[in-house]
Every structure is written in structure tokens, then in C-alpha cells.
Amino acid sequence: MAKPAPLSGFPELLPAQRVVEQQVIATLASTFELHGFANIETRAVEPMDQLLRKGDTSKEVYVLRRLQETKDAARDKGLDNGLGLHFDLTVPFARYVLENAGKLEFPFRRYQIQKVWRGERPQEGRFREFAQADIDIVGRDLLPFHHDIEVARVMLDALGRLDFLPGFRLQVNNRKLIQGFYRGLGLDDDAVDEVMRLVDKLDKLSPEQVATSLVAEAGLSDAQAQQCLALATIRATDDSFVARVQALGVEHPLLDEGLDELALLLRGTTGLATEKVRIEADLSIARGLDYYTGTVFETRLDGYESLGSICSGGRYDALASDGRTTYPGVGISLGVSRVLVPLIQRGVVTGDRSVPSAVLVAVADEESRPQADAIAAALRARGIPCEVAPSAAKFGKQIKHADRRGIPYVWFSGTDDAGAATHEVKDIRSGNQVPADPGTWEPPLEDLRPRVSTSSTTEASSTTEASSTTEASSTTEASSTTEASSTTEASSTTTKETDQ
Amino acid sequence: MAKPAPLSGFPELLPAQRVVEQQVIATLASTFELHGFANIETRAVEPMDQLLRKGDTSKEVYVLRRLQETKDAARDKGLDNGLGLHFDLTVPFARYVLENAGKLEFPFRRYQIQKVWRGERPQEGRFREFAQADIDIVGRDLLPFHHDIEVARVMLDALGRLDFLPGFRLQVNNRKLIQGFYRGLGLDDDAVDEVMRLVDKLDKLSPEQVATSLVAEAGLSDAQAQQCLALATIRATDDSFVARVQALGVEHPLLDEGLDELALLLRGTTGLATEKVRIEADLSIARGLDYYTGTVFETRLDGYESLGSICSGGRYDALASDGRTTYPGVGISLGVSRVLVPLIQRGVVTGDRSVPSAVLVAVADEESRPQADAIAAALRARGIPCEVAPSAAKFGKQIKHADRRGIPYVWFSGTDDAGAATHEVKDIRSGNQVPADPGTWEPPLEDLRPRVSTSSTTEASSTTEASSTTEASSTTEASSTTEASSTTEASSTTTKETDQ
């Protein structure tokens, strides 16, 4: 077998990089649990008719076929009954709720952190396989609006615990507000959808271009088109947007409802704004997917605007219904891979070692391996991750074994003149070596587990050449250093491009 | 959308059941990390030519196609370049090692806990989507034998921490031993493989039937067939098997090597045997897959023998090679779903609540919701998972909300005559209600997180009728109770069948 090449769009991480993803997922999970969200996992596959039921094939679904299944059987069965990989976690969750409604307690609050698959053309932050972290709250028949505020708060709490994240902006809007506004302008249902779709392009097209297509494609008058654009330009970090919308002179009961809800949402979340976190009403946000019926969320990461929204969601009042009962929900989904993979590939974050071990237990000769195993067992019994040297090489080589992996301590044992066992532990960073007892010694808490280490993109790009040399020669975790510094070099250009 | 039906072979868990799986995975991960194994994840897909390179299509691979991909393009591309879902974690791991060899440190020790997919016919313990937990150690060119002992020890350590598991038997053998023995009998390479395949059927066929096919299909003499059967019947919990094999009078250098290795393995693991854990040399074990070259492992769970081996693996000296360098490895893989799903479905284990919340903060009226949110925030700041009541219903109804989910505490706030805030917390199991301070109160440690609760199958089947009624009426976590008791009823029969 020749050396295999990576598959574009299917990112994989090296062990020290995976440390970052593991710790991020653990932080998200523990935050969601602090807020009382239960964890579930759904199967990777859904029936094709479920995946396509909105007629939306833009998600580029992966269709499955069993190898042994005859081609005729696969064709006869058709797409409707076939299986595909899920492209998000919301559609499977809605199906899970309907399937298990009799066994769940409502409102049902769950989080779900899983891979999803989309056959899209790969680009930075857009993958064919990626991890998402979703929280949703679903009610039976009714779901009070305070849950819209709650999911925003919970996700802000979670994101706020990821120290290495740059600043970000949570943008909120409300479908009732924009749909009510368009209806107040006299538009019918079809025109409302078309206008929403066109206004959503304001992040790519100029206002003039959008105005032109509103008239040409959606059949609006110039005056109507200008009103739509005026609405879409409104941004505010408090409920002052209400007066500005009202000043446009459009009236509709649905508009009022949307204004009330969005004002409530802003008042319920502004207390969470910090130097790093801005929360704003942005009346241009609509979200492409058509199941949202009220609140919508998007999130932009400072300096990584080209990634698009890293965390999106909203209220969906009719996604899950079995005909008799409807289960309205609200949720928000973080693109874990979308955020992490670019940061990791640019070398902004990495783990400070490639193994969990805090200690390498040295082996003087193969005969004494059982004693080394016993020392390791004593350390593990007190929760200290460690490994035993794989061979009784010279101690210098064993220390190098630890150094290459970023293991901070090496344990040496021997016997004194009286034949009693002696133990010493060496901090290989300082060279400091002290006597130690395998039954009581503990490393400082910060050395117990691998840590996520951060270097800002600015530092990374200004010190590229120097740091890659220095770090490579200091040999701490050679493999990831090489990886990190080579991607840093490659990506410093990318960073500049994105920043502009 | 009508109520969806479950998909056979794709098990999903209810929230209280997922608590068990979460805690098992956390226990496995932390044990593997204590032993210095680094975590990685590989993508779900591999090129079809990799998945089929052993010519082994028995794994029923799922082939992928993008929905938008034209059928002609898919056919032209053919299976060789297409993608399929991985059917285990060993083949992807071997590919990951080759792809990243320059960035990894050897010996490389990793664990991997992920879903895998096989299009097999579903039956108990056999699923189309299931989770596996693998540990492997891979060297460059060489890998000392003590790592064979190590992976067995690490997995035994992990399994030993799963309190709810019944007793089990780790069965070990060595391919060199059996292949050397067959060659010592004068068989050629083809005959050796054929005999291994036929002897592997001893768990389904009688010795007489196997002897007949050894003669008829593999062309052995009666005497050779009897020798093969004599070898396969040898079992021992210590290295006494060596003398018994030697007594059969067959000689071959590879046989000696295999005997030495297996004796080392038994001597290195027998100290780990307990009342629940038996370790034995079982010379009938061969493992179907053909990449094993030395040590092989299988594991049988007491009372669940019909599940087959729940934890298997072995030494593979040639799985990963780029032509110039070979990466020999040894590993062992636990079928997480294979063990857990039957135990969960039979009601042997479940979580004691369906949400992470230890506390429900009651809401007296919607106006005071912000105060309830503040109390919840104070509790969360000290790591206490909690949720705020979704509506200001009567307190009795709010207590019931907690009770249905298994939340042990409800927090009540009010104001005293002087207008100062008052706080009380009620343990709804005992009814005990005491004053509490949101800044300092803590629940007992055992109430902080959901716990895994166990009922032995014996208890379950002897008390089926009575317990399902009693439990259902006591209302603690009604949904899971109903689920648990209904599966208990259904499965008590299954249990008896399996036990016989």
C-alpha cells in the first residue's frame, strides 16, 4: 500500500490537535448539562424522503447502498425508501421526538454533538464531514418564548468558556418581523418568500443590485424595494430598533408580534455582552432554511468572517408534527469543525502534548519491567496518566522519548546500597530531579492533563519563520510542532486575505 | 408526517439510557488515558479499494454516492475509487498511521471510540450502526511482545471499572502456535488457512462434524484431523497448556514461538483474574479476519454467550506498510453497542434520571422568572446542573415536573414580611424542605449527576409483573420506567433462552 493521501473535505486531526477538539467538546457538553440539557445521539442515517421532504437538495445528501444489494433492487426501491447520511442534527432530532413522543417529557431539552455529512465542494470551514453541537428545546403544542432567550444564553455561556476564541457577534432577527413587514407592504406569500431569499443576499451583493432584483424578480415597486432595504439596514444592540422600524410607517399584526419578540430577546441577552461578545439585532438576517417561524440566530467570528455563520438557529413551530400533535421548538447549532479546524490548521490553537501521559516511567532493563509496571499502577491509582518506556534504552533516549511527546516528568527507580528501592522523578523541562514516593507523589494540577495552548494569529504571522525554527529545535512534541509551524506558514497568507 | 418507525439495526437510546452509554464511554476514555493512550478520530469514510483490499466482502460495506452525482459518473468511477463507510476502526487506523507516519511518534498508542457500519442482517447484539472502543499500539519496524500483554491489561482494567457488567472470560490464543502446529503436521499454507477456518466452527458444530470436514474439505488424514481437534480442545488458566501441547508430539519452530508468546501473555495477565474476570488460553480461538499474525483475543460475557465475542483483537504484523516501512501493531476492540444495547434493552441498566439537572428552580409567577434565572446561575457557578421551571404552574405541578424527570431537588423562593428574599430547597424523595442559600448550598455528591442503576436479570425476571406496576405508579421518571419495564417483561424470556 502506497502512502495514502488525505481526502479533501474530510479533515482529520493529529493527536495534539485532537486534544483541542476533545476539550472543546467536553466544555460544551458540561455547560449544556449545567443548564439541564440531556444528551442524545441519533443514528447517522435517515430515510431519503425525510432528508428531502422540504424539496431542498442543496445539502448534497450522501445516499447509501449496501454493497451486496443488487443494483436492480436498489433502483426498484428508489430514493424514497433508501437511506442517506444526515446533513444536520435538526431533521433527525425532529424525527426522534415524533418517534419517541410517548416516552419523552416535554418541554424536552437536549444537546447532541455528532458528525454530519454534506457532499458540498470543500473550502475553508466547509467540509463534507464535520461535527456540530446542537441544543434544542421542544414543547408539546406550546413552547413559551422565554425558551428562545434561554437557548441564546446557554450557547453564549458555552462559547464564553472557550478562551481561545476570538471575539464574536451574535446577530438576531425574527421571521415574524420581516414577514409581517413585507405583508404590511402588501406582498402575498410567494412574494414574501422571494423577497426573503433576495434580501438574504445582502452579504454578497450591493443594496442597488438587491433593489434591482427585488423589482425585476419579485415584482416589487421601487418604493416597496426601498422599504425592504431600509428594514434590512437596521442594526441595534438594544431595543431602539423598534422605533426605527415603526418610523418606516408599515403596519401589520405579525410585524408587531415580531418586534415584541425581538425586543424581549435583546433585553433578555444584553446583560451577557462583554468585550468579546456583542449581541445585536440585525434585520437583514433571515436564514436560508425554510422551517424557521420566529427568532433566527447567526454568529460571526471576528477575523474569520469568511467562514460565514459559525453558530446558527432559531424557532421552528411546525418542523415536527404527526398530524394530531405539533412539537414547536427552538434551537441553536454550533459548527464545531467549522470553527476549530481553521483555527487548528492555522496553528492558533494546539494541545501542549500529544499523549495524555504526565509521567514516563523509565525502565533500567527488561528484567525490571514488572517493577516499572507496578510504579505506573500506583500512579494511575491516584489518577495520574502515565506510560512505561517501551524499551530499556539508555536513559538519555528515554528522556528524549518523553520530550518528543511533551510528557513533563520521567520516573527513575533503582536500589540503594542496602538493596532498598529508590525513586526519583525528573521534571525534564527544568532538569530538576527529586526523590519521590510512587504512593504519594503528585504532579502540579496544571501538568496532570494536556493543555490547550494558544497563539494569536497576529503573533503566528509575525514570527512564522523564527518560531518554526526555534520550536522545531527545542524538540517538544516534534511532530505537532512541525505540523503546526508548516500550517502556520501556509496560512498566514490566508489569514491576511480573510482579514481584508 | 406520520409517527416514524424505528429502523431495524440502528439502535437509538432514550435520554436516561444514554446516561449509561455516556458514563461507559467516559470510563473507557479516562482509563485508556491513564495508560497514556492518545485519542484520535478518523473520518467515517474510506476509499472502497481500502475497504475491500482483503477481498473480504463479508462485512457488507455501505457504499456512498452523492445525490447530485450523475449515475453515469458514479458507474464510470466504479467501486475502486468510490467511498464507503468504515466497518471497523482498525483498517482506518492503519491508513491514518501510514498517512501521518512522519508526524507521529512510535510506538504510537491510541484509542478511538466511534460508530462503525455494517449492512448485516440485524439480530440481538448485531447492528448495522454500532459504537466500538479500540486501543492499539503500533511500532515502526518492530514492536516488542510486552505490548501484547499491555493491551490485554488495559482493556481488563477498563472492563473491570464497569460495575454493572456480568462476569466475563478473556480467551487468548496465538496464531503462530496453531499455524506452527498445523505445519508441524505437514500441512501446506493453503491447508493451514482452511483448517483454521474449519476449526473456528467448533462453537457451532460438533467435533465429529468438524473432523469430517477437515478430512473432506481440507484433505487431512484422520490422524491429522484428530491432532487438530486435540489441540483445539486445550484450555488452561496458566501456562500448563504448554506441556499438554508438547505431549501431542508435533514439532515446528513457529509452534515453539507461539507457545512461548502465549505462555508470556498468560503469566503477564493471570494476576488480573478476579471473581468476575477469568483469563484463559483457549486453543480453539482463531479470529476470522486474516490480518492477525500472533496473539488473538476474544471475550465472552457470562449469561450473554449468544452475543458472541464482545471484545476481540490481536497482533497484526503486516496490516500497515508503505512498501519501505512496516508498522506492526497489536490492539483490542470492545463492542460498546454490542454489550450495552442488549443490557439496556433488557432493563439491566439505566440512568436514574432523564436529565442532568440536580435541581429544578420553581417559578412563582412569570414576573419573578429573572430571579429564578439568577438562582440557577448561582448554582451553576458552583457546578450544580439545574433548570428553571418552564411555567409558573402550581407548585404541585412543578414538583411533578421534577419527579417525572428524576430531578431530586426543587428550589422555592419568596419574600418574608420585611421584603427580604427567602430560599428553601426540598428533597422531593423524602419531602424534607430546608432553608438554603443559593450562594453556598450544595447537594450531596451522589445527587450531583445522574447515576447508572443496575438490576440483575434474575431480579428482573422474578419480579417482572409486580415491579412494572409498582414502578409505573411511583412515577419516578415515568417514561423510562415504562420503557424499562416493558422491555424487562419482553426480555425475561430472551434471557432464559440465552441462558440455556
Side-chain angles (χ1 to χ4, degrees), chain A residues 117-130:
Chain A
W117 295 269
R118 296 181 189 182
E120 302 185 299
R121 203 163 65 86
Q123 48 184 308
E124 194 185 35
R126 301 272 173 167
F127 307 106
R128 293 188 154 185
E129 173 178 74
F130 54 100

mmCIF file with all atom_site columns, all heavy atoms in Angstrom, chain A residues 117-130:
data_model
loop_
_atom_site.group_PDB
_atom_site.id
_atom_site.type_symbol
_atom_site.label_atom_id
_atom_site.label_alt_id
_atom_site.label_comp_id
_atom_site.label_asym_id
_atom_site.label_entity_id
_atom_site.label_seq_id
_atom_site.pdbx_PDB_ins_code
_atom_site.Cartn_x
_atom_site.Cartn_y
_atom_site.Cartn_z
_atom_site.occupancy
_atom_site.B_iso_or_equiv
_atom_site.pdbx_formal_charge
_atom_site.auth_seq_id
_atom_site.auth_comp_id
_atom_site.auth_asym_id
_atom_site.auth_atom_id
_atom_site.pdbx_PDB_model_num
ATOM 1   N N   . TRP A 1 117 ? -22.876 15.070 7.421  1.00 0.00 ? 117 TRP A N   1
ATOM 2   C CA  . TRP A 1 117 ? -22.213 14.921 6.118  1.00 0.00 ? 117 TRP A CA  1
ATOM 3   C C   . TRP A 1 117 ? -22.947 15.699 5.032  1.00 0.00 ? 117 TRP A C   1
ATOM 4   O O   . TRP A 1 117 ? -24.181 15.643 4.958  1.00 0.00 ? 117 TRP A O   1
ATOM 5   C CB  . TRP A 1 117 ? -22.163 13.442 5.725  1.00 0.00 ? 117 TRP A CB  1
ATOM 6   C CG  . TRP A 1 117 ? -21.317 12.611 6.627  1.00 0.00 ? 117 TRP A CG  1
ATOM 7   C CD1 . TRP A 1 117 ? -19.995 12.338 6.484  1.00 0.00 ? 117 TRP A CD1 1
ATOM 8   C CD2 . TRP A 1 117 ? -21.714 11.934 7.842  1.00 0.00 ? 117 TRP A CD2 1
ATOM 9   N NE1 . TRP A 1 117 ? -19.540 11.546 7.519  1.00 0.00 ? 117 TRP A NE1 1
ATOM 10  C CE2 . TRP A 1 117 ? -20.579 11.282 8.355  1.00 0.00 ? 117 TRP A CE2 1
ATOM 11  C CE3 . TRP A 1 117 ? -22.922 11.827 8.551  1.00 0.00 ? 117 TRP A CE3 1
ATOM 12  C CZ2 . TRP A 1 117 ? -20.597 10.527 9.534  1.00 0.00 ? 117 TRP A CZ2 1
ATOM 13  C CZ3 . TRP A 1 117 ? -22.961 11.081 9.710  1.00 0.00 ? 117 TRP A CZ3 1
ATOM 14  C CH2 . TRP A 1 117 ? -21.808 10.449 10.200 1.00 0.00 ? 117 TRP A CH2 1
ATOM 15  N N   . ARG A 1 118 ? -22.200 16.423 4.216  1.00 0.00 ? 118 ARG A N   1
ATOM 16  C CA  . ARG A 1 118 ? -22.772 17.121 3.073  1.00 0.00 ? 118 ARG A CA  1
ATOM 17  C C   . ARG A 1 118 ? -21.805 16.999 1.894  1.00 0.00 ? 118 ARG A C   1
ATOM 18  O O   . ARG A 1 118 ? -20.613 17.284 2.052  1.00 0.00 ? 118 ARG A O   1
ATOM 19  C CB  . ARG A 1 118 ? -22.980 18.612 3.362  1.00 0.00 ? 118 ARG A CB  1
ATOM 20  C CG  . ARG A 1 118 ? -23.982 18.868 4.461  1.00 0.00 ? 118 ARG A CG  1
ATOM 21  C CD  . ARG A 1 118 ? -24.189 20.359 4.718  1.00 0.00 ? 118 ARG A CD  1
ATOM 22  N NE  . ARG A 1 118 ? -24.996 20.532 5.925  1.00 0.00 ? 118 ARG A NE  1
ATOM 23  C CZ  . ARG A 1 118 ? -25.389 21.692 6.413  1.00 0.00 ? 118 ARG A CZ  1
ATOM 24  N NH1 . ARG A 1 118 ? -25.049 22.816 5.797  1.00 0.00 ? 118 ARG A NH1 1
ATOM 25  N NH2 . ARG A 1 118 ? -26.130 21.750 7.513  1.00 0.00 ? 118 ARG A NH2 1
ATOM 26  N N   . GLY A 1 119 ? -22.316 16.629 0.734  1.00 0.00 ? 119 GLY A N   1
ATOM 27  C CA  . GLY A 1 119 ? -21.432 16.450 -0.428 1.00 0.00 ? 119 GLY A CA  1
ATOM 28  C C   . GLY A 1 119 ? -21.066 17.746 -1.124 1.00 0.00 ? 119 GLY A C   1
ATOM 29  O O   . GLY A 1 119 ? -20.932 17.782 -2.338 1.00 0.00 ? 119 GLY A O   1
ATOM 30  N N   . GLU A 1 120 ? -20.919 18.842 -0.359 1.00 0.00 ? 120 GLU A N   1
ATOM 31  C CA  . GLU A 1 120 ? -20.603 20.147 -0.949 1.00 0.00 ? 120 GLU A CA  1
ATOM 32  C C   . GLU A 1 120 ? -19.161 20.209 -1.436 1.00 0.00 ? 120 GLU A C   1
ATOM 33  O O   . GLU A 1 120 ? -18.324 19.423 -1.032 1.00 0.00 ? 120 GLU A O   1
ATOM 34  C CB  . GLU A 1 120 ? -20.745 21.253 0.106  1.00 0.00 ? 120 GLU A CB  1
ATOM 35  C CG  . GLU A 1 120 ? -22.100 21.340 0.733  1.00 0.00 ? 120 GLU A CG  1
ATOM 36  C CD  . GLU A 1 120 ? -22.197 22.533 1.680  1.00 0.00 ? 120 GLU A CD  1
ATOM 37  O OE1 . GLU A 1 120 ? -21.437 22.583 2.673  1.00 0.00 ? 120 GLU A OE1 1
ATOM 38  O OE2 . GLU A 1 120 ? -23.033 23.392 1.418  1.00 0.00 ? 120 GLU A OE2 1
ATOM 39  N N   . ARG A 1 121 ? -18.872 21.237 -2.273 1.00 0.00 ? 121 ARG A N   1
ATOM 40  C CA  . ARG A 1 121 ? -17.498 21.452 -2.686 1.00 0.00 ? 121 ARG A CA  1
ATOM 41  C C   . ARG A 1 121 ? -16.723 21.972 -1.475 1.00 0.00 ? 121 ARG A C   1
ATOM 42  O O   . ARG A 1 121 ? -17.100 22.977 -0.869 1.00 0.00 ? 121 ARG A O   1
ATOM 43  C CB  . ARG A 1 121 ? -17.457 22.493 -3.813 1.00 0.00 ? 121 ARG A CB  1
ATOM 44  C CG  . ARG A 1 121 ? -16.209 22.392 -4.692 1.00 0.00 ? 121 ARG A CG  1
ATOM 45  C CD  . ARG A 1 121 ? -16.429 23.136 -5.987 1.00 0.00 ? 121 ARG A CD  1
ATOM 46  N NE  . ARG A 1 121 ? -16.579 24.572 -5.741 1.00 0.00 ? 121 ARG A NE  1
ATOM 47  C CZ  . ARG A 1 121 ? -15.539 25.408 -5.651 1.00 0.00 ? 121 ARG A CZ  1
ATOM 48  N NH1 . ARG A 1 121 ? -14.307 24.978 -5.791 1.00 0.00 ? 121 ARG A NH1 1
ATOM 49  N NH2 . ARG A 1 121 ? -15.743 26.692 -5.448 1.00 0.00 ? 121 ARG A NH2 1
ATOM 50  N N   . PRO A 1 122 ? -15.641 21.276 -1.086 1.00 0.00 ? 122 PRO A N   1
ATOM 51  C CA  . PRO A 1 122 ? -14.911 21.673 0.125  1.00 0.00 ? 122 PRO A CA  1
ATOM 52  C C   . PRO A 1 122 ? -14.223 23.032 -0.026 1.00 0.00 ? 122 PRO A C   1
ATOM 53  O O   . PRO A 1 122 ? -13.721 23.352 -1.097 1.00 0.00 ? 122 PRO A O   1
ATOM 54  C CB  . PRO A 1 122 ? -13.845 20.575 0.267  1.00 0.00 ? 122 PRO A CB  1
ATOM 55  C CG  . PRO A 1 122 ? -14.298 19.448 -0.595 1.00 0.00 ? 122 PRO A CG  1
ATOM 56  C CD  . PRO A 1 122 ? -15.077 20.074 -1.712 1.00 0.00 ? 122 PRO A CD  1
ATOM 57  N N   . GLN A 1 123 ? -14.242 23.855 1.029  1.00 0.00 ? 123 GLN A N   1
ATOM 58  C CA  . GLN A 1 123 ? -13.462 25.096 1.078  1.00 0.00 ? 123 GLN A CA  1
ATOM 59  C C   . GLN A 1 123 ? -13.210 25.392 2.561  1.00 0.00 ? 123 GLN A C   1
ATOM 60  O O   . GLN A 1 123 ? -13.704 24.655 3.420  1.00 0.00 ? 123 GLN A O   1
ATOM 61  C CB  . GLN A 1 123 ? -14.214 26.241 0.414  1.00 0.00 ? 123 GLN A CB  1
ATOM 62  C CG  . GLN A 1 123 ? -15.673 26.356 0.859  1.00 0.00 ? 123 GLN A CG  1
ATOM 63  C CD  . GLN A 1 123 ? -16.433 27.441 0.133  1.00 0.00 ? 123 GLN A CD  1
ATOM 64  O OE1 . GLN A 1 123 ? -15.977 28.559 0.098  1.00 0.00 ? 123 GLN A OE1 1
ATOM 65  N NE2 . GLN A 1 123 ? -17.579 27.103 -0.436 1.00 0.00 ? 123 GLN A NE2 1
ATOM 66  N N   . GLU A 1 124 ? -12.447 26.438 2.865  1.00 0.00 ? 124 GLU A N   1
ATOM 67  C CA  . GLU A 1 124 ? -12.098 26.644 4.273  1.00 0.00 ? 124 GLU A CA  1
ATOM 68  C C   . GLU A 1 124 ? -13.351 26.775 5.141  1.00 0.00 ? 124 GLU A C   1
ATOM 69  O O   . GLU A 1 124 ? -14.229 27.603 4.868  1.00 0.00 ? 124 GLU A O   1
ATOM 70  C CB  . GLU A 1 124 ? -11.224 27.882 4.470  1.00 0.00 ? 124 GLU A CB  1
ATOM 71  C CG  . GLU A 1 124 ? -10.610 27.867 5.884  1.00 0.00 ? 124 GLU A CG  1
ATOM 72  C CD  . GLU A 1 124 ? -9.821  29.107 6.245  1.00 0.00 ? 124 GLU A CD  1
ATOM 73  O OE1 . GLU A 1 124 ? -10.208 30.200 5.824  1.00 0.00 ? 124 GLU A OE1 1
ATOM 74  O OE2 . GLU A 1 124 ? -8.834  28.975 6.999  1.00 0.00 ? 124 GLU A OE2 1
ATOM 75  N N   . GLY A 1 125 ? -13.416 25.954 6.164  1.00 0.00 ? 125 GLY A N   1
ATOM 76  C CA  . GLY A 1 125 ? -14.560 25.999 7.062  1.00 0.00 ? 125 GLY A CA  1
ATOM 77  C C   . GLY A 1 125 ? -15.773 25.245 6.538  1.00 0.00 ? 125 GLY A C   1
ATOM 78  O O   . GLY A 1 125 ? -16.776 25.119 7.240  1.00 0.00 ? 125 GLY A O   1
ATOM 79  N N   . ARG A 1 126 ? -15.719 24.752 5.312  1.00 0.00 ? 126 ARG A N   1
ATOM 80  C CA  . ARG A 1 126 ? -16.828 23.962 4.746  1.00 0.00 ? 126 ARG A CA  1
ATOM 81  C C   . ARG A 1 126 ? -16.303 22.574 4.425  1.00 0.00 ? 126 ARG A C   1
ATOM 82  O O   . ARG A 1 126 ? -15.387 22.437 3.608  1.00 0.00 ? 126 ARG A O   1
ATOM 83  C CB  . ARG A 1 126 ? -17.332 24.596 3.433  1.00 0.00 ? 126 ARG A CB  1
ATOM 84  C CG  . ARG A 1 126 ? -17.808 26.002 3.579  1.00 0.00 ? 126 ARG A CG  1
ATOM 85  C CD  . ARG A 1 126 ? -19.272 26.037 3.946  1.00 0.00 ? 126 ARG A CD  1
ATOM 86  N NE  . ARG A 1 126 ? -19.638 27.420 4.247  1.00 0.00 ? 126 ARG A NE  1
ATOM 87  C CZ  . ARG A 1 126 ? -20.894 27.830 4.352  1.00 0.00 ? 126 ARG A CZ  1
ATOM 88  N NH1 . ARG A 1 126 ? -21.893 26.989 4.178  1.00 0.00 ? 126 ARG A NH1 1
ATOM 89  N NH2 . ARG A 1 126 ? -21.153 29.083 4.648  1.00 0.00 ? 126 ARG A NH2 1
ATOM 90  N N   . PHE A 1 127 ? -16.854 21.587 5.101  1.00 0.00 ? 127 PHE A N   1
ATOM 91  C CA  . PHE A 1 127 ? -16.331 20.236 4.945  1.00 0.00 ? 127 PHE A CA  1
ATOM 92  C C   . PHE A 1 127 ? -17.438 19.292 4.505  1.00 0.00 ? 127 PHE A C   1
ATOM 93  O O   . PHE A 1 127 ? -18.627 19.626 4.574  1.00 0.00 ? 127 PHE A O   1
ATOM 94  C CB  . PHE A 1 127 ? -15.716 19.764 6.259  1.00 0.00 ? 127 PHE A CB  1
ATOM 95  C CG  . PHE A 1 127 ? -14.706 20.727 6.811  1.00 0.00 ? 127 PHE A CG  1
ATOM 96  C CD1 . PHE A 1 127 ? -15.001 21.518 7.919  1.00 0.00 ? 127 PHE A CD1 1
ATOM 97  C CD2 . PHE A 1 127 ? -13.469 20.864 6.205  1.00 0.00 ? 127 PHE A CD2 1
ATOM 98  C CE1 . PHE A 1 127 ? -14.075 22.430 8.414  1.00 0.00 ? 127 PHE A CE1 1
ATOM 99  C CE2 . PHE A 1 127 ? -12.532 21.767 6.693  1.00 0.00 ? 127 PHE A CE2 1
ATOM 100 C CZ  . PHE A 1 127 ? -12.834 22.554 7.801  1.00 0.00 ? 127 PHE A CZ  1
ATOM 101 N N   . ARG A 1 128 ? -17.018 18.104 4.069  1.00 0.00 ? 128 ARG A N   1
ATOM 102 C CA  . ARG A 1 128 ? -18.001 17.082 3.696  1.00 0.00 ? 128 ARG A CA  1
ATOM 103 C C   . ARG A 1 128 ? -18.394 16.243 4.907  1.00 0.00 ? 128 ARG A C   1
ATOM 104 O O   . ARG A 1 128 ? -19.458 15.655 4.927  1.00 0.00 ? 128 ARG A O   1
ATOM 105 C CB  . ARG A 1 128 ? -17.420 16.211 2.575  1.00 0.00 ? 128 ARG A CB  1
ATOM 106 C CG  . ARG A 1 128 ? -17.249 17.021 1.292  1.00 0.00 ? 128 ARG A CG  1
ATOM 107 C CD  . ARG A 1 128 ? -16.853 16.183 0.104  1.00 0.00 ? 128 ARG A CD  1
ATOM 108 N NE  . ARG A 1 128 ? -17.307 16.834 -1.116 1.00 0.00 ? 128 ARG A NE  1
ATOM 109 C CZ  . ARG A 1 128 ? -17.207 16.311 -2.338 1.00 0.00 ? 128 ARG A CZ  1
ATOM 110 N NH1 . ARG A 1 128 ? -16.669 15.114 -2.506 1.00 0.00 ? 128 ARG A NH1 1
ATOM 111 N NH2 . ARG A 1 128 ? -17.658 16.967 -3.378 1.00 0.00 ? 128 ARG A NH2 1
ATOM 112 N N   . GLU A 1 129 ? -17.500 16.196 5.884  1.00 0.00 ? 129 GLU A N   1
ATOM 113 C CA  . GLU A 1 129 ? -17.811 15.569 7.177  1.00 0.00 ? 129 GLU A CA  1
ATOM 114 C C   . GLU A 1 129 ? -17.417 16.566 8.243  1.00 0.00 ? 129 GLU A C   1
ATOM 115 O O   . GLU A 1 129 ? -16.278 17.042 8.242  1.00 0.00 ? 129 GLU A O   1
ATOM 116 C CB  . GLU A 1 129 ? -17.018 14.278 7.357  1.00 0.00 ? 129 GLU A CB  1
ATOM 117 C CG  . GLU A 1 129 ? -17.173 13.662 8.745  1.00 0.00 ? 129 GLU A CG  1
ATOM 118 C CD  . GLU A 1 129 ? -16.417 12.339 8.896  1.00 0.00 ? 129 GLU A CD  1
ATOM 119 O OE1 . GLU A 1 129 ? -15.176 12.371 9.005  1.00 0.00 ? 129 GLU A OE1 1
ATOM 120 O OE2 . GLU A 1 129 ? -17.065 11.297 8.897  1.00 0.00 ? 129 GLU A OE2 1
ATOM 121 N N   . PHE A 1 130 ? -18.328 16.894 9.135  1.00 0.00 ? 130 PHE A N   1
ATOM 122 C CA  . PHE A 1 130 ? -17.973 17.842 10.185 1.00 0.00 ? 130 PHE A CA  1
ATOM 123 C C   . PHE A 1 130 ? -18.840 17.619 11.419 1.00 0.00 ? 130 PHE A C   1
ATOM 124 O O   . PHE A 1 130 ? -19.904 17.015 11.344 1.00 0.00 ? 130 PHE A O   1
ATOM 125 C CB  . PHE A 1 130 ? -18.087 19.293 9.686  1.00 0.00 ? 130 PHE A CB  1
ATOM 126 C CG  . PHE A 1 130 ? -19.406 19.674 9.085  1.00 0.00 ? 130 PHE A CG  1
ATOM 127 C CD1 . PHE A 1 130 ? -20.346 20.383 9.809  1.00 0.00 ? 130 PHE A CD1 1
ATOM 128 C CD2 . PHE A 1 130 ? -19.707 19.328 7.776  1.00 0.00 ? 130 PHE A CD2 1
ATOM 129 C CE1 . PHE A 1 130 ? -21.566 20.744 9.249  1.00 0.00 ? 130 PHE A CE1 1
ATOM 130 C CE2 . PHE A 1 130 ? -20.929 19.680 7.204  1.00 0.00 ? 130 PHE A CE2 1
ATOM 131 C CZ  . PHE A 1 130 ? -21.856 20.389 7.942  1.00 0.00 ? 130 PHE A CZ  1
#
